[in-house]
Amino acid sequence: MATTRHAHTVWEGDLLKGKGVVSLDSSGIGSYDVSWPARSEAANGKTSPEELIAAAHSSCYSMALSHGLAGAGTPPTRLETKADVTFQPGEGITGIHLSVEGTVPGLDEAAFAAAAEDAKKNCPVSQALTGTTITLSAKLV
């Protein structure tokens, strides 16, 4: 069964001096302030499209890796994934770097790296972002 999730943003003003609020409608877990300075300079308590992409990518990737490892008979005890989304004003999103540390009993470093690379390729968010260079570092802890 397909699912559709919803969010919306209300923006007031021009790009440089304006501000907005993005609301996560499907979950109802909150509304978050956004602004150009939060996107192109320091966050200062506001979010940005890139931070929201990083959240989506790190969670989707963790799910994909967990599923792949469990399917191979080596379910993880713990995965910690960080997504760094780089935004360059005037160019856009120039890259994403995923870093994952995992505790996976019975798995060696090479097998973990292979599973991590497979999850990067097959994660639905990675697939949606195929126009962006995505790099990966993976290690067992």
Side-chain angles (χ1 to χ4, degrees), residues 71-126:
T74 53
T77 304
R78 184 173 193 275
L79 297 172
E80 183 172 341
T81 304
K82 179 180 179 186
D84 297 314
V85 177
T86 302
F87 174 75
Q88 178 64 47
E91 290 182 48
I93 294 173
T94 58
I96 299 171
H97 183 72
L98 296 170
S99 304
V100 62
E101 293 184 353
T103 304
V104 187
L107 200 65
D108 66 20
E109 203 67 52
F112 183 68
E117 194 62 41
D118 186 64
K120 181 185 90 166
K121 181 175 39 174
N122 293 305
C123 159
V125 171
S126 291

Coordinates of all heavy atoms in Angstrom, one line a residue, residues 71-126:
G71 N 18.2 -9.1 6.6 CA 17.9 -10.0 5.5 C 19.1 -11.0 5.2 O 18.9 -12.1 4.7
A72 N 20.3 -10.5 5.5 CA 21.5 -11.3 5.3 C 21.8 -12.2 6.6 O 22.8 -12.9 6.6 CB 22.7 -10.4 5.0
G73 N 20.9 -12.1 7.6 CA 21.1 -13.0 8.8 C 22.0 -12.3 9.8 O 22.4 -13.0 10.8
T74 N 22.3 -11.1 9.7 CA 23.2 -10.4 10.7 C 22.5 -9.1 11.1 O 23.0 -8.0 10.7 CB 24.6 -10.1 10.1 OG1 24.4 -9.4 8.8 CG2 25.4 -11.4 9.9
P75 N 21.4 -9.2 11.8 CA 20.7 -7.9 12.2 C 21.6 -7.0 13.1 O 22.3 -7.6 13.9 CB 19.5 -8.4 13.0 CG 19.8 -9.8 13.4 CD 20.8 -10.3 12.4
P76 N 21.5 -5.7 12.9 CA 22.3 -4.8 13.7 C 21.8 -4.7 15.1 O 20.6 -4.8 15.3 CB 22.3 -3.5 13.0 CG 20.9 -3.6 12.3 CD 20.7 -5.0 11.9
T77 N 22.7 -4.5 16.1 CA 22.2 -4.1 17.4 C 22.0 -2.6 17.5 O 21.0 -2.2 18.1 CB 23.4 -4.4 18.4 OG1 23.6 -5.8 18.3 CG2 22.9 -4.1 19.9
R78 N 22.8 -1.9 16.7 CA 22.7 -0.4 16.7 C 23.3 0.2 15.5 O 24.4 -0.3 15.1 CB 23.4 0.2 18.0 CG 23.2 1.7 18.1 CD 23.8 2.1 19.5 NE 23.5 3.4 19.8 CZ 24.1 4.5 19.4 NH1 25.1 4.4 18.7 NH2 23.7 5.7 19.8
L79 N 22.7 1.2 14.9 CA 23.2 1.9 13.8 C 23.1 3.4 14.1 O 22.1 3.8 14.6 CB 22.5 1.6 12.5 CG 22.5 0.2 11.9 CD1 21.6 0.1 10.8 CD2 23.9 -0.2 11.5
E80 N 24.2 4.2 13.9 CA 24.1 5.6 14.0 C 24.5 6.2 12.7 O 25.7 6.1 12.3 CB 25.0 6.1 15.2 CG 24.8 7.6 15.4 CD 25.5 8.1 16.6 OE1 25.8 7.3 17.6 OE2 25.8 9.3 16.7
T81 N 23.6 6.9 12.1 CA 23.9 7.5 10.8 C 23.8 9.0 10.8 O 22.8 9.6 11.4 CB 22.9 7.0 9.7 OG1 22.9 5.6 9.7 CG2 23.2 7.5 8.3
K82 N 24.8 9.7 10.3 CA 24.8 11.1 10.1 C 24.8 11.5 8.7 O 25.5 10.8 7.9 CB 26.1 11.7 10.8 CG 26.2 13.2 10.7 CD 27.5 13.6 11.4 CE 27.6 15.1 11.3 NZ 28.9 15.6 11.8
A83 N 24.0 12.4 8.3 CA 24.0 12.9 6.9 C 24.4 14.4 6.9 O 23.8 15.2 7.6 CB 22.6 12.8 6.3
D84 N 25.4 14.7 6.1 CA 25.9 16.1 6.0 C 25.5 16.5 4.6 O 26.0 16.0 3.6 CB 27.4 16.2 6.2 CG 27.8 15.8 7.5 OD1 27.2 16.2 8.5 OD2 28.8 15.0 7.6
V85 N 24.6 17.5 4.5 CA 24.1 18.0 3.2 C 24.8 19.4 3.0 O 24.6 20.3 3.8 CB 22.6 18.1 3.2 CG1 22.1 18.8 1.9 CG2 21.9 16.8 3.4
T86 N 25.5 19.5 1.9 CA 26.2 20.8 1.7 C 25.5 21.6 0.7 O 25.1 21.1 -0.4 CB 27.7 20.5 1.1 OG1 28.4 19.7 2.1 CG2 28.4 21.8 0.9
F87 N 25.2 22.9 1.1 CA 24.5 23.8 0.2 C 25.4 25.0 -0.1 O 26.0 25.6 0.8 CB 23.3 24.3 1.0 CG 22.5 25.5 0.3 CD1 21.8 25.2 -0.9 CD2 22.6 26.8 0.7 CE1 21.1 26.2 -1.5 CE2 22.0 27.8 0.0 CZ 21.2 27.5 -1.1
Q88 N 25.6 25.3 -1.4 CA 26.4 26.4 -1.8 C 25.5 27.4 -2.4 O 24.9 27.2 -3.5 CB 27.4 25.9 -2.8 CG 28.3 27.1 -3.4 CD 29.1 27.7 -2.3 OE1 29.8 27.1 -1.5 NE2 29.1 29.0 -2.3
P89 N 25.3 28.6 -1.8 CA 24.4 29.6 -2.4 C 24.9 29.9 -3.9 O 26.0 30.0 -4.2 CB 24.6 30.9 -1.5 CG 24.9 30.3 -0.2 CD 25.8 29.1 -0.5
G90 N 23.9 30.0 -4.7 CA 24.2 30.2 -6.1 C 24.4 28.9 -7.0 O 24.3 28.9 -8.2
E91 N 24.6 27.8 -6.3 CA 24.8 26.5 -6.9 C 23.8 25.5 -6.5 O 23.3 24.7 -7.3 CB 26.2 25.9 -6.6 CG 27.4 26.7 -7.2 CD 28.7 26.0 -6.9 OE1 28.8 24.7 -7.1 OE2 29.6 26.7 -6.5
G92 N 23.4 25.5 -5.2 CA 22.4 24.6 -4.7 C 23.1 23.5 -3.9 O 24.2 23.8 -3.3
I93 N 22.5 22.4 -3.8 CA 23.1 21.3 -3.0 C 24.2 20.6 -3.8 O 24.0 20.2 -4.9 CB 22.0 20.2 -2.6 CG1 21.0 20.9 -1.7 CG2 22.6 19.0 -2.0 CD1 19.7 20.0 -1.4
T94 N 25.4 20.7 -3.2 CA 26.6 20.2 -4.0 C 27.0 18.8 -3.6 O 27.9 18.2 -4.2 CB 27.7 21.2 -3.8 OG1 28.0 21.3 -2.4 CG2 27.4 22.6 -4.4
G95 N 26.5 18.3 -2.5 CA 26.8 16.9 -2.1 C 26.2 16.5 -0.8 O 25.8 17.4 0.0
I96 N 26.2 15.2 -0.6 CA 25.7 14.7 0.7 C 26.7 13.6 1.1 O 27.1 12.8 0.3 CB 24.3 14.0 0.5 CG1 23.3 15.0 0.1 CG2 23.9 13.3 1.8 CD1 22.0 14.4 -0.3
H97 N 27.1 13.6 2.4 CA 28.0 12.6 2.9 C 27.3 11.9 4.0 O 26.8 12.5 5.0 CB 29.3 13.2 3.4 CG 30.2 12.1 3.9 ND1 30.9 11.3 3.1 CD2 30.6 11.7 5.2 CE1 31.6 10.4 3.8 NE2 31.4 10.7 5.1
L98 N 27.2 10.6 3.9 CA 26.6 9.7 4.9 C 27.7 9.1 5.7 O 28.7 8.6 5.1 CB 25.8 8.6 4.3 CG 24.5 9.0 3.5 CD1 23.9 7.8 2.8 CD2 23.5 9.6 4.4
S99 N 27.6 9.1 7.0 CA 28.6 8.4 7.9 C 27.8 7.5 8.8 O 26.8 7.9 9.4 CB 29.3 9.4 8.8 OG 30.0 10.4 8.1
V100 N 28.1 6.2 8.8 CA 27.4 5.3 9.6 C 28.4 4.5 10.5 O 29.4 4.1 10.0 CB 26.5 4.3 8.8 CG1 27.3 3.5 7.8 CG2 25.6 3.5 9.7
E101 N 28.0 4.3 11.7 CA 28.7 3.4 12.7 C 27.7 2.4 13.1 O 26.6 2.7 13.4 CB 29.2 4.2 13.9 CG 30.3 5.2 13.5 CD 30.9 5.9 14.8 OE1 30.3 5.7 15.9 OE2 31.8 6.7 14.6
G102 N 28.1 1.1 13.1 CA 27.2 0.1 13.4 C 27.8 -0.9 14.4 O 29.0 -1.2 14.3
T103 N 26.9 -1.5 15.2 CA 27.3 -2.6 16.0 C 26.5 -3.8 15.4 O 25.2 -3.8 15.4 CB 26.9 -2.4 17.5 OG1 27.5 -1.2 17.9 CG2 27.3 -3.6 18.3
V104 N 27.2 -4.7 14.8 CA 26.6 -5.8 14.1 C 27.3 -7.1 14.4 O 28.3 -7.5 13.9 CB 26.6 -5.6 12.5 CG1 25.8 -6.7 11.8 CG2 26.1 -4.2 12.2
P105 N 26.8 -7.9 15.4 CA 27.5 -9.1 15.8 C 27.6 -10.1 14.7 O 26.7 -10.2 13.9 CB 26.5 -9.7 16.9 CG 25.8 -8.5 17.4 CD 25.6 -7.6 16.3
G106 N 28.8 -10.7 14.5 CA 29.0 -11.7 13.5 C 29.4 -11.1 12.2 O 29.5 -11.9 11.2
L107 N 29.6 -9.8 12.0 CA 29.9 -9.2 10.7 C 31.3 -8.6 10.8 O 31.7 -7.9 11.8 CB 28.9 -8.2 10.4 CG 28.7 -7.8 8.9 CD1 28.2 -9.0 8.1 CD2 27.7 -6.7 8.8
D108 N 32.1 -8.8 9.7 CA 33.4 -8.1 9.7 C 33.3 -6.8 8.9 O 32.3 -6.5 8.4 CB 34.5 -9.0 9.0 CG 34.2 -9.4 7.6 OD1 33.5 -8.6 6.9 OD2 34.8 -10.4 7.1
E109 N 34.4 -6.0 9.0 CA 34.4 -4.7 8.4 C 34.1 -4.7 6.9 O 33.4 -3.8 6.5 CB 35.8 -4.1 8.7 CG 35.9 -2.6 8.7 CD 35.1 -1.9 9.9 OE1 35.3 -2.2 11.0 OE2 34.4 -1.0 9.5
A110 N 34.6 -5.6 6.2 CA 34.4 -5.6 4.7 C 32.9 -5.9 4.4 O 32.4 -5.3 3.5 CB 35.3 -6.7 4.1
A111 N 32.3 -6.8 5.1 CA 30.9 -7.2 4.9 C 30.0 -6.0 5.3 O 29.0 -5.7 4.6 CB 30.5 -8.4 5.6
F112 N 30.4 -5.3 6.4 CA 29.6 -4.1 6.8 C 29.7 -3.0 5.7 O 28.7 -2.4 5.4 CB 30.1 -3.6 8.1 CG 29.3 -2.5 8.7 CD1 28.0 -2.6 9.0 CD2 29.9 -1.2 8.8 CE1 27.2 -1.6 9.5 CE2 29.1 -0.1 9.3 CZ 27.8 -0.3 9.6
A113 N 30.9 -2.8 5.2 CA 31.1 -1.8 4.2 C 30.3 -2.1 2.9 O 29.7 -1.2 2.3 CB 32.6 -1.6 3.9
A114 N 30.3 -3.4 2.6 CA 29.5 -3.8 1.4 C 28.0 -3.6 1.6 O 27.3 -3.1 0.7 CB 29.8 -5.2 1.0
A115 N 27.5 -3.9 2.8 CA 26.1 -3.8 3.1 C 25.8 -2.3 3.2 O 24.7 -1.8 2.7 CB 25.8 -4.4 4.5
A116 N 26.7 -1.5 3.7 CA 26.5 0.0 3.8 C 26.4 0.6 2.4 O 25.5 1.5 2.2 CB 27.6 0.6 4.6
E117 N 27.2 0.2 1.5 CA 27.2 0.7 0.1 C 25.9 0.3 -0.6 O 25.3 1.1 -1.3 CB 28.4 0.2 -0.6 CG 28.7 0.9 -1.9 CD 29.0 2.4 -1.8 OE1 29.7 2.8 -0.9 OE2 28.5 3.1 -2.6
D118 N 25.5 -0.9 -0.4 CA 24.2 -1.4 -1.0 C 23.1 -0.6 -0.5 O 22.2 -0.2 -1.2 CB 24.1 -2.9 -0.7 CG 22.9 -3.5 -1.4 OD1 22.9 -3.5 -2.7 OD2 21.9 -3.9 -0.7
A119 N 23.0 -0.3 0.8 CA 21.9 0.5 1.4 C 22.0 1.9 0.8 O 20.9 2.5 0.6 CB 22.1 0.5 2.9
K120 N 23.1 2.4 0.6 CA 23.2 3.8 0.0 C 22.6 3.8 -1.4 O 21.9 4.7 -1.7 CB 24.7 4.2 -0.1 CG 24.9 5.6 -0.7 CD 26.3 6.0 -0.8 CE 26.7 5.6 -2.2 NZ 28.0 6.1 -2.7
K121 N 22.9 2.7 -2.1 CA 22.3 2.7 -3.5 C 20.8 2.4 -3.5 O 20.1 2.9 -4.4 CB 23.1 1.5 -4.2 CG 22.6 1.3 -5.7 CD 23.5 0.3 -6.4 CE 23.8 -0.9 -5.5 NZ 24.5 -2.0 -6.2
N122 N 20.3 1.7 -2.5 CA 18.9 1.2 -2.6 C 18.0 2.0 -1.6 O 16.8 1.8 -1.7 CB 18.8 -0.3 -2.3 CG 19.5 -1.1 -3.4 OD1 19.1 -0.9 -4.6 ND2 20.4 -1.9 -3.1
C123 N 18.5 2.8 -0.8 CA 17.6 3.7 0.1 C 16.7 4.5 -0.8 O 17.2 5.2 -1.7 CB 18.5 4.5 1.0 SG 17.8 6.0 1.7
P124 N 15.4 4.6 -0.6 CA 14.5 5.4 -1.4 C 14.9 6.9 -1.4 O 14.8 7.5 -2.5 CB 13.2 5.2 -0.8 CG 13.2 3.8 -0.2 CD 14.7 3.7 0.4
V125 N 15.4 7.4 -0.3 CA 15.8 8.8 -0.4 C 17.1 9.0 -1.2 O 17.1 9.9 -2.0 CB 16.0 9.4 1.0 CG1 16.6 10.8 1.0 CG2 14.6 9.4 1.8
S126 N 18.0 8.1 -1.1 CA 19.2 8.1 -2.0 C 18.8 8.1 -3.5 O 19.3 8.8 -4.3 CB 20.1 7.0 -1.7 OG 20.8 7.1 -0.5

